Amino acid sequence: MAVMELARGLRGREPEGREGTGSLDQAAATFTALRPRLFGIAYRMLASPAEAEDIVQETWLRWQSAERSTIVNPAAFLALITTRLSINSVQSARARRETHIGPWLPEPIDAGIDPAAGAERGEALELALLLLLEKLTPAQRAAYILREAFDYPYERIAEIIRLAPANVRQLVSRARRHLATTRREPIDTDEHRRLLATFLDAAQRGNVTALEDLFATGVVSLSGGNDIKGAA
C-alpha cells in the first residue's frame, strides 16, 4: 500500500511547457538514458544479471503503458517500478525456497559488453563483501564464499581451512543465519580491499589459488586449525 501511494505521489500535472515523456520516442529516449540505473537497482536486489534484465524489460513494458504525460519525475517513477518488481521477484523466490538467507554474492557479467552494468556490478560486489566482513568470522566468511560463490565441495573447503567437512557445513549454515541478522562489527579497510581484489582475481581470471591462500592464512592463523573457533 505504501509503495502504491508513493507511486501516485510521483504523478501530477505536467509542468507548463514540458512535453518530455508524452511521445513513445521520447519515452524510449528517457528509458534508455535511465536504463543503467534501473539495471543497477534490480541487480543489487536480485544478484543475477539475467533476472535483472527481466525486471528492466518488465519496467519498460510498464513505462510504455503508463500515463506518461502525468508523471512529473520519470526517473523516480521508473526507479520505484523497478524496485517494486524486484521486491516481488525476491518474495516469489523466497516462497519457492530458491534463495539463500542473507545477502548474495553477485554473478559476474561482461563489463566489456555493458560498461555501465559492469560498474554497477563492481559496486554491488564491493557492498556484498563489506557485509560479509562486518557480519561473519574469518572461518564463516571463507566457508561461505568458497561454497556459495565458487561452488566448492565441503571436503575441499575443509582441506583449505583445515577443518572437518562437518564443521565446514556448520560454518556455512551459521554464516547464512548471521547474514540475516542486523549485527555488524567494525572492519579493517585494508582487509576489505584485499578481499575484494583477490575475489575479483579469482572470479575473472580463475586465480583461485590466491583466494584459497588468503582464507587458509586468515582462518588457520586464528584457530590453529584444530577447531571452529569463531564459528558460533
Side-chain angles (χ1 to χ4, degrees):
M1 181 65 70
V3 172
M4 293 301 296
E5 290 175 355
L6 181 55
R8 285 194 293 269
L10 294 175
R11 296 178 179 272
R13 179 177 300 175
E14 185 76 4
E16 185 176 353
R18 178 180 175 180
E19 301 175 354
T21 57
S23 71
L24 187 58
D25 287 344
Q26 184 60 40
T30 299
F31 187 86
T32 299
L34 294 170
R35 188 186 181 285
R37 179 189 176 195
L38 303 179
F39 178 87
I41 292 171
Y43 183 59
R44 286 190 182 96
M45 299 181 69
L46 300 172
S48 167
E51 293 181 15
E53 288 288 357
D54 289 342
I55 293 296
V56 171
Q57 181 61 27
E58 179 62 24
T59 301
W60 163 244
L61 295 177
R62 302 288 182 93
W63 179 235
Q64 282 184 294
S65 62
E67 292 291 337
R68 295 185 300 275
S69 62
T70 67
I71 297 173
V72 176
N73 189 332
F77 178 83
L78 288 169
L80 180 63
I81 294 299
T82 302
T83 300
R84 186 174 64 188
L85 290 172
S86 298
I87 290 172
N88 290 343
S89 179
V90 169
Q91 290 174 339
S92 176
R94 284 175 179 167
R96 297 192 307 268
R97 300 181 181 274
E98 293 179 356
T99 56
H100 295 303
I101 296 173
W104 28 259
L105 289 173
E107 298 172 11
I109 58 178
D110 189 346
I113 296 177
D114 191 341
E120 292 287 355
R121 174 201 182 265
E123 293 177 6
L125 178 58
E126 185 174 353
L127 175 59
L129 293 178
L130 177 63
L131 290 175
L132 294 184
L133 283 167
E134 291 176 336
K135 294 191 172 199
L136 303 182
T137 66
Q140 291 169 354
R141 188 161 60 244
Y144 184 83
I145 290 176
L146 291 175
R147 179 65 183 174
E148 299 297 331
F150 294 93
D151 198 28
Y152 271 47
Y154 288 108
E155 292 74 15
R156 177 55 184 150
I157 300 174
E159 293 175 1
I160 294 171
I161 61 177
R162 302 183 189 178
L163 295 174
N167 288 343
V168 172
R169 290 178 182 274
Q170 291 178 16
L171 286 169
V172 174
S173 177
R174 289 168 178 168
R176 290 172 181 163
R177 291 200 301 269
H178 288 173
L179 288 171
T181 69
T182 58
R183 76 171 192 174
R184 293 190 179 188
E185 299 292 337
I187 68 161
D188 185 318
T189 55
D190 289 337
E191 184 180 9
H192 182 212
R193 285 194 293 267
R194 184 163 56 252
L195 176 59
L196 179 61
T198 308
F199 182 95
L200 286 173
D201 194 37
Q204 296 175 349
R205 299 180 179 83
N207 185 14
V208 294
T209 300
L211 186 66
E212 292 177 2
D213 290 343
L214 177 66
F215 288 144
T217 301
V219 175
V220 174
S221 64
L222 291 177
S223 66
N226 298 317
D227 52 34
I228 52 172
K229 180 178 180 181

